[in-house]
Amino acid sequence: MAERAALEELVKLQGERVRGLKQQKASAELIEEEVGKLLKLKAQLGPDESKQKFVLKTPKGTRDYSPRQMAVREKVFDVIIRCFKRHGAEVIDTPVFELKETLMGKYGEDSKLIYDLKDQGGELLSLRYDLTVPFARYLAMNKLTNIKRYHIAKVYRRDNPAMTRGRYREFYQCDFDIAGNFDPMIPDAECLKIMCEILSSLQIGDFLVKVNDRRILDGMFAICGVSDSKFRTICSSVDKLDKVSWEEVKNEMVGEKGLAPEVADRIGDYVQQHGGVSLVEQLLQDPKLSQNKQALEGLGDLKLLFEYLTLFGIDDKISFDLSLARGLDYYTGVIYEAVLLQTPAQAGEEPLGVGSVAAGGRYDGLVGMFDPKGRKVPCVGLSIGVERIFSIVEQRLEALEEKVRTTETQVLVASAQKKLLEERLKLVSELWDAGIKAELLYKKNPKLLNQLQYCEEAGIPLVAIIGEQELKDGVIKLRSVTSREEVNVRREDLVEEIKRRTGQPLCIC
Amino acid sequence: MPLLGLLPRRAWAALLSQLVRPPCASRTGAVRCQSQGTRDLSPQHMVVREKILDLVISCFKRHGAKGMDTPAFELKEILTEKYGEDSGLMYDLKDQGGELLSLRYDLTVPFARYLAMNKVKKMKRYHVGKVWRRESPTIVQGRYREFCQCDFDIAGQFDPMIPDAECLKIMCEILSGLQLGDFLIKVNDRRIVDGMFAACGVPESKFRAICSSIDKLDKMAWKDVRHEMVAKKGLAPEVADRIGDYVQCHGGVSLVEQMFQDPRLSQNKQALEGLGDLKLLFEYLTLFGIAEKISFDLSLARGLDYYTGVIYEAVLLQTPTQAGEEPLNVGSVAAGGRYDGLVGMFDPKGHKVPCVGLSIGVERIFYIVEQRMKTKGEKVRTTETQVFVATPQKNFLQERLKLITELWDAGIKAEMLYKNNPKLLTQLHYCESTGIPLVVIIGEQELKEGVIKIRSVASREEVAIKRENLVAEIQKRLSES
């Protein structure tokens, strides 16, 4: 250590010498000689280890949640969890990583987006990509044949992040699923009821739930003349219809994916249709579609579904949309997706991009892929895309200029004079022991004005002020931060008075 | 059927292996379904967990902490070299062409990174989240590779020892609130530890090694620890004996006073600083009403490198084992300390932000609570459903769907069976097994009369309520119970 310090000192002196020589305009050879000595000294010093080489950031596509964002997140989760519980769901949790082989082969083209863990001599692991495959693994592993569960946790995808549009590499999913062999379409209808309840309660604007069925899609492709091998790729083209026009989609199918133009046109006749249960009736009569057994099954189930949705009072929010063709491989029956209906942009408000905020469907074959005997457990479920909802709620609060408190503190314990730290510590302890949310400044002798300012900034509604005179009189001054009204309260009555004012129950049960 | 204990040994082994081997293994050979050292949390586990986390978080909120969250992984370079002896236990992500990442090992280093990154000078925050460590899991003691931590930290330059005292107050509130039995919080100070070593003649290069030996005194006897220091770590026996004189001491503030007078320690500037702060701390702890739970313990020497001042650790005081109860040796249930230098390691200009905090070992607490529940045979409800919608007749699905919608729309937690024509007995049985307190029954007769029958599952009493009063009646009953 001492050696280095000495060296640094030499470097400094030599540097000054060189600067001095240059100023004096000494001869070039002399300057060069002294610079040479300087460089030799610097080389002895070695690289500057004290300078940090890393950049302070979170990994690409991830972010911290600030207290403000946590407050928003908590509100949103509250609404969602209350709804899940209202429908009788249990909750589970699974590890953040799974055996790599558990996730392999479940996500089709998206498998390349999975985060792998480094091979460190143990098992090969990958970070979970969604909550559905872990759920299926959980059911198979525990030999469960029916369960209604919700699971809220982060998932990981090495996608191209678009953080301004709420697309991250680490993001929350809120899943609700019903596993089990039941009478048709009742659980499916309940999933849609849950989606509607949540989206209504969140008050993020008008929404629409598009519904379709994998069997209708496959049946439709078959009767239009799409070859089996092209099903999935045509599917993903059709899926883009919510973002691009039919012409563009047709071009992609014909130009890039080698579909015959007539076949594309036939598809076009169907996928541009959407409507209520009357569209279902209409298609049941469709000459071509009604020849296809798969499509008929799907249509029959949708008809039943609409009956139940009507009884649930939500049929006006549901649209049978033949262009809905969701990405993931494992859906086997009904599929659905909720989108927010774009409101005309109000003054100063950014128009929010159209995108889905929730989605799901029936997947009867997934659990069987994990069960050693291939036993199937039919499942239907939904996933709420909360990250988008967080940003929408945040923007809404900002637009309304609503202050979001990041703490729940009810009382600040303050002192009006110096040397009252002991009294403050005693009083705040009393309040905590009575279950009251209280704070104090970590200063021995804080100024009253600073303490009051702290309350205003943090949104703390009450201040309990200790003063020398009040101490003698056995009272505490209780002040309302907003109204600035003060009243003296007897020390022994303080807890009750605070609880009364903050609407808290008198006992901590 | 023979008693299990009398089964031939081979049969017993075969039976056990069937129970223990997950289903996937039989198909894929020796491959397991789940990664080692991790586990799913069933609904029963989650209910216990949620109650405990609720209590912990409401304590943090009661003290004015803000919540925050960080990603599960960080840039590897940010985590490297912060963890001393433990850094080999980090989970790395595979190099897939992007940044090199590792799963977070605790919540403290991400916090320091957050403060430096956002140039925050003062913050009182809590963070509940999972962390990952590739240690050898000892599942019996509730130690997993993925586990939950609950951290509370106060960052900022403040008048001495007030935030430190609040951290200890919080620890006491939580441990009392959880009703785990008697507990004790051991307190020491890094400067006292270092000062003591110096005063005893430990060479500086051996400080950390001797420290980790001393740390074992809660599990090993002094003579075994002494042996390790002398025989394995090359400490001179006289030095070891001098250390022994100190580290076997523990007590209240009177021990602090005593150490102030100690001829060796009072010569050491560091130790005096530490003792001075502990004296002040005890004053505040007395005002907080928790001094009797705190023990100044000179053998406390926690593992992580980054502590700079006061350190503390809470342990449950073991109750004498009752019949049938395994003695639970789970180590500490909460710990923490002051770490003034960590944020400065991240700040480009080395600006320091002093920090003090605590971490609640919730996994160990979960384990203790679960064990107790198992011993007492306690069961918990895994749903919160209040009302079940049932019918004794066939072809009443539509009516049930309409009725349950009314309940949901009124915010009532309700369920029904996913069957077109379920039997009444099956429906009532479902209520009993899941703990649902009320049933509303609709049938042909009720429909004609415009009423619904409300039945209490526990008492089996039934009463007919007019359809339009149903929601109000249910809400009344639920608020009364």
Side-chain angles (χ1 to χ4, degrees):
Chain A
M1 280 289 128
E3 271 183 6
R4 192 183 171 85
L7 255 179
E8 283 174 356
E9 184 61 30
L10 286 174
V11 165
K12 185 169 138 215
L13 288 172
Q14 186 63 16
E16 279 167 15
R17 185 170 164 73
V18 167
R19 269 189 293 277
L21 287 174
K22 285 184 179 172
Q23 253 188 335
Q24 293 161 23
K25 298 200 200 298
S27 73
E29 297 99 57
L30 184 54
I31 290 178
E32 204 181 271
E33 190 181 297
E34 296 301 315
V35 166
K37 284 188 198 159
L38 178 60
L39 288 176
K40 265 216 196 100
L41 280 173
K42 277 197 169 172
Q44 277 185 50
L45 208 45
D48 189 350
E49 287 169 355
S50 61
K51 214 201 284 181
Q52 75 182 43
K53 297 167 220 144
F54 55 76
V55 182
L56 277 180
K57 63 188 276 290
T58 53
K60 183 174 171 189
T62 69
R63 50 145 173 177
D64 296 317
Y65 282 84
S66 69
R68 193 192 144 77
Q69 291 166 323
M70 288 296 283
V72 168
R73 178 171 119 179
E74 220 176 289
K75 275 198 223 287
V76 173
F77 281 163
D78 243 5
V79 169
I80 294 175
I81 293 173
R82 224 175 311 137
C83 183
F84 290 159
K85 287 185 168 179
R86 189 158 59 243
H87 289 255
E90 304 177 292
V91 61
I92 73 167
D93 199 8
T94 66
V96 79
F97 39 65
E98 297 276 338
L99 295 178
K100 190 177 162 67
E101 62 192 57
T102 300
L103 301 185
M104 282 197 316
K106 309 293 183 307
Y107 301 105
E109 281 178 20
D110 289 342
S111 298
K112 60 181 185 288
L113 301 178
I114 297 176
Y115 275 98
D116 290 329
L117 262 66
K118 183 169 159 187
D119 183 356
Q120 288 173 289
E123 306 145 314
L124 289 184
L125 306 168
S126 300
L127 296 183
R128 66 187 170 210
Y129 186 85
D130 66 4
L131 301 178
T132 309
V133 167
F135 176 51
R137 194 261 310 140
Y138 175 87
L139 291 176
M141 203 168 126
N142 295 285
K143 294 193 193 308
L144 293 172
T145 52
N146 64 57
I147 187 175
K148 183 165 50 182
R149 79 95 181 79
Y150 74 89
H151 186 185
I152 296 180
K154 291 188 191 158
V155 300
Y156 301 85
R157 302 185 183 182
R158 282 184 67 242
D159 218 339
N160 265 327
M163 293 176 58
T164 45
R165 279 184 276 137
R167 231 199 20 238
Y168 300 92
R169 287 183 161 183
E170 173 193 61
F171 58 95
Y172 263 104
Q173 280 197 326
C174 297
D175 279 25
F176 171 96
D177 292 74
I178 300 170
N181 222 332
F182 301 114
D183 286 344
M185 301 321 279
I186 313 178
D188 311 53
E190 185 165 7
C191 285
L192 287 162
K193 174 68 174 167
I194 286 171
M195 258 167 74
C196 289
E197 277 179 26
I198 288 175
L199 294 177
S200 300
S201 307
L202 287 171
Q203 296 180 309
I204 44 181
D206 261 338
F207 62 91
L208 180 75
V209 182
K210 302 183 199 172
V211 153
N212 197 358
D213 192 294
R214 192 54 148 246
R215 295 161 293 177
I216 296 175
L217 266 174
D218 287 354
M220 173 183 73
F221 287 159
I223 53 124
C224 289
V226 180
S227 57
D228 258 22
S229 57
K230 288 206 201 301
F231 266 31
R232 295 285 68 88
T233 182
I234 295 302
C235 210
S236 68
S237 290
V238 170
D239 196 25
K240 297 179 184 174
L241 270 171
D242 58 351
K243 296 185 205 71
V244 304
S245 69
W246 166 244
E247 281 74 50
E248 285 180 60
V249 171
K250 182 179 169 187
N251 272 336
E252 183 181 281
M253 294 197 298
V254 173
E256 287 174 38
K257 302 193 175 178
L259 196 67
E262 324 81 74
V263 175
D265 286 329
R266 279 178 225 140
I267 293 178
D269 285 340
Y270 289 108
V271 299
Q272 294 182 92
Q273 297 192 60
H274 53 85
V277 68
S278 50
L279 179 58
V280 182
E281 310 273 7
Q282 189 189 310
L283 289 175
L284 278 167
Q285 308 302 322
D286 181 278
K288 288 203 221 91
L289 217 46
S290 55
Q291 300 297 316
N292 184 281
K293 183 162 170 261
Q294 265 196 310
L296 281 180
E297 267 180 37
L299 288 165
D301 275 352
L302 279 198
K303 185 162 180 226
L304 187 55
L305 179 69
F306 265 100
E307 270 181 50
Y308 298 157
L309 298 178
T310 309
L311 293 166
F312 279 160
I314 56 170
D315 52 310
D316 56 330
K317 293 253 177 275
I318 317 291
S319 167
F320 172 31
D321 191 327
L322 280 143
S323 72
L324 179 62
R326 295 195 44 76
L328 291 168
D329 272 351
Y330 50 64
Y331 289 120
T332 56
V334 65
I335 50 181
Y336 33 81
E337 188 178 283
V339 291
L340 292 180
L341 299 174
Q342 214 174 345
T343 47
Q346 286 142 25
E349 205 178 87
E350 281 290 308
L352 300 163
V354 177
S356 76
V357 282
R362 176 162 281 287
Y363 52 105
D364 288 347
L366 190 59
V367 178
M369 291 176 78
F370 292 100
D371 184 271
K373 300 209 173 114
R375 271 186 294 245
K376 287 191 171 185
V377 176
C379 296
V380 67
L382 65 101
S383 190
I384 308 286
V386 273
E387 299 289 344
R388 282 214 70 229
I389 292 174
F390 293 156
S391 27
I392 293 170
V393 172
E394 250 180 289
Q395 282 179 316
R396 198 186 79 214
L397 288 172
E398 233 164 282
L400 295 171
E401 287 188 70
E402 250 181 60
K403 190 170 158 83
V404 178
R405 279 197 66 183
T406 52
T407 65
E408 298 181 12
T409 310
Q410 299 161 312
V411 186
L412 182 82
V413 173
S415 48
Q417 285 98 24
K418 291 191 169 191
K419 297 198 196 293
L420 286 173
L421 174 64
E422 275 200 25
E423 293 302 323
R424 277 159 56 219
L425 292 175
K426 267 197 273 180
L427 183 54
V428 81
S429 191
E430 235 183 272
L431 299 184
W432 288 331
D433 290 345
I436 293 170
K437 302 177 209 183
E439 286 186 75
L440 81 161
L441 293 198
Y442 299 125
K443 282 200 94 49
K444 285 197 278 228
N445 301 309
K447 292 188 174 45
L448 186 58
L449 209 58
N450 289 343
Q451 294 169 91
L452 296 178
Q453 210 177 347
Y454 180 85
C455 291
E456 284 191 27
E457 283 166 7
I460 303 173
L462 295 173
V463 200
I465 308 174
I466 301 172
E468 276 159 8
Q469 188 53 45
E470 289 82 1
L471 269 178
K472 291 201 194 96
D473 298 338
V475 297
I476 306 284
K477 227 200 268 294
L478 190 60
R479 175 187 169 113
S480 156
V481 174
T482 38
S483 74
R484 302 188 179 188
E485 278 171 26
E486 286 181 355
V487 70
N488 283 346
V489 179
R490 294 196 64 74
R491 177 65 177 254
E492 53 271 25
D493 299 333
L494 185 64
V495 165
E496 207 181 295
E497 178 62 21
I498 292 174
K499 286 193 169 174
R500 192 183 63 83
R501 289 193 187 210
T502 56
Q504 256 184 297
L506 287 176
C507 74
I508 344 167
C509 311
Chain B
M1 184 167 125
L3 288 172
L4 280 175
L6 298 178
L7 273 180
R9 198 180 146 81
R10 249 185 315 126
W12 179 231
L15 180 65
L16 258 185
S17 72
Q18 271 204 357
L19 290 172
V20 163
R21 199 197 325 145
C24 304
S26 53
R27 178 162 71 135
T28 52
V31 177
R32 303 175 62 241
C33 236
Q34 187 149 55
S35 72
Q36 206 187 9
T38 65
R39 57 169 176 158
D40 296 320
L41 296 171
S42 70
Q44 287 76 19
H45 283 130
M46 290 299 286
V47 167
V48 171
R49 217 162 250 261
E50 272 182 6
K51 258 178 64 180
I52 290 169
L53 290 178
D54 259 355
L55 190 143
V56 171
I57 292 174
S58 53
C59 181
F60 292 160
K61 287 183 170 182
R62 189 158 59 244
H63 288 254
K66 307 182 186 199
M68 69 168 252
D69 197 7
T70 66
F73 42 68
E74 299 269 345
L75 296 179
K76 188 173 166 66
E77 57 203 27
I78 286 181
L79 296 180
T80 319
E81 285 181 34
K82 303 295 178 297
Y83 295 111
E85 288 180 11
D86 293 333
S87 53
L89 301 172
M90 254 194 286
Y91 275 102
D92 291 333
L93 264 64
K94 182 170 162 190
D95 183 353
Q96 287 170 288
E99 301 157 321
L100 289 183
L101 308 168
S102 298
L103 296 182
R104 69 187 178 204
Y105 188 86
D106 69 2
L107 301 178
T108 309
V109 167
F111 176 49
R113 192 264 307 142
Y114 176 91
L115 292 174
M117 192 170 132
N118 297 286
K119 300 195 191 309
V120 174
K121 295 276 172 265
K122 292 187 163 78
M123 185 177 194
K124 181 163 51 181
R125 79 99 178 77
Y126 75 88
H127 185 182
V128 175
K130 302 243 179 86
V131 300
W132 295 271
R133 301 185 184 180
R134 281 177 59 240
E135 18 189 7
S136 190
T138 35
I139 293 177
V140 170
Q141 301 237 325
R143 229 181 143 115
Y144 289 89
R145 289 178 163 180
E146 172 187 80
F147 57 97
C148 186
Q149 281 197 328
C150 296
D151 279 23
F152 170 95
D153 292 76
I154 299 170
Q157 184 69 37
F158 301 113
D159 287 346
M161 302 319 279
I162 312 178
D164 312 54
E166 185 165 5
C167 285
L168 287 162
K169 175 68 173 167
I170 286 172
M171 261 167 71
C172 286
E173 277 179 28
I174 290 175
L175 294 177
S176 300
L178 289 171
Q179 299 182 308
L180 300 167
D182 263 338
F183 61 90
L184 180 74
I185 302 184
K186 304 181 197 171
V187 153
N188 197 356
D189 191 296
R190 191 51 150 248
R191 294 161 293 176
I192 295 174
V193 174
D194 287 353
M196 172 183 72
F197 285 167
C200 292
V202 179
E204 241 188 84
S205 55
K206 290 205 197 298
F207 267 29
R208 296 282 71 86
I210 297 303
C211 213
S212 70
S213 290
I214 298 299
D215 199 22
K216 297 179 186 172
L217 270 171
D218 57 351
K219 297 183 204 77
M220 282 163 49
W222 165 244
K223 65 172 174 54
D224 294 326
V225 170
R226 184 186 181 282
H227 180 82
E228 181 183 282
M229 296 196 297
V230 174
K232 296 202 191 136
K233 301 195 177 179
L235 195 66
E238 326 78 75
V239 176
D241 287 329
R242 276 179 227 142
I243 293 178
D245 285 339
Y246 290 109
V247 298
Q248 296 180 90
C249 292
H250 54 86
V253 67
S254 50
L255 180 59
V256 180
E257 309 275 6
Q258 189 187 313
M259 288 296 144
F260 261 122
Q261 311 301 325
D262 180 273
R264 277 197 225 107
L265 274 187
S266 55
Q267 301 296 319
N268 184 282
K269 184 164 169 254
Q270 264 195 310
L272 281 179
E273 267 180 39
L275 288 166
D277 274 354
L278 280 198
K279 182 158 184 241
L280 186 56
L281 179 69
F282 265 99
E283 274 181 47
Y284 296 158
L285 298 178
T286 308
L287 293 165
F288 279 161
I290 58 171
E292 79 276 8
K293 293 249 177 275
I294 318 289
S295 167
F296 171 32
D297 190 325
L298 279 144
S299 72
L300 179 63
R302 296 195 44 78
L304 292 167
D305 270 351
Y306 51 66
Y307 289 120
T308 56
V310 65
I311 50 182
Y312 33 81
E313 189 177 283
V315 291
L316 293 180
L317 298 173
Q318 224 173 334
T319 47
T321 51
Q322 291 141 22
E325 203 176 272
E326 282 291 307
L328 297 166
N329 189 10
V330 287
S332 75
V333 283
R338 178 162 280 287
Y339 53 105
D340 289 346
L342 188 60
V343 179
M345 290 175 78
F346 291 105
D347 185 271
K349 298 206 174 118
H351 287 311
K352 287 193 170 181
V353 176
C355 296
V356 66
L358 64 102
S359 190
I360 307 287
V362 274
E363 294 289 340
R364 295 183 184 175
I365 293 172
F366 295 150
Y367 176 76
I368 292 168
V369 172
E370 279 164 16
Q371 291 302 111
R372 295 208 179 151
M373 286 173 64
K374 221 194 280 188
T375 316
K376 293 195 203 149
E378 263 180 53
K379 290 212 95 184
V380 280
R381 276 198 69 184
T382 54
T383 64
E384 298 182 11
T385 309
Q386 300 160 313
V387 182
F388 186 87
V389 174
T391 181
Q393 263 107 32
K394 290 195 169 190
N395 300 316
F396 255 71
L397 174 62
Q398 288 208 5
E399 291 304 323
R400 277 152 63 216
L401 292 174
K402 267 196 276 184
L403 184 49
I404 202 172
T405 303
E406 249 181 79
L407 300 181
W408 286 333
D409 289 348
I412 295 169
K413 301 175 209 183
E415 280 187 77
M416 56 180 270
L417 290 195
Y418 298 123
K419 285 201 94 47
N420 294 344
N421 301 307
K423 292 189 172 43
L424 186 60
L425 210 58
T426 312
Q427 296 170 86
L428 295 177
H429 188 67
Y430 180 83
C431 293
E432 274 169 35
S433 64
T434 57
I436 302 174
L438 292 176
V439 195
V440 294
I441 306 175
I442 182 142
E444 276 157 14
Q445 194 56 34
E446 290 81 9
L447 207 54
K448 277 202 206 100
E449 294 170 14
V451 296
I452 306 283
K453 270 223 268 283
I454 299 187
R455 173 185 171 114
S456 155
V457 175
S459 73
R460 301 189 180 186
E461 279 172 25
E462 283 184 5
V463 73
I465 302 288
K466 288 177 84 64
R467 178 70 179 250
E468 54 268 27
N469 297 334
L470 181 64
V471 168
E473 176 65 23
I474 291 174
Q475 283 167 341
K476 184 164 132 256
R477 288 195 184 210
L478 291 173
S479 65
E480 278 166 9
S481 61

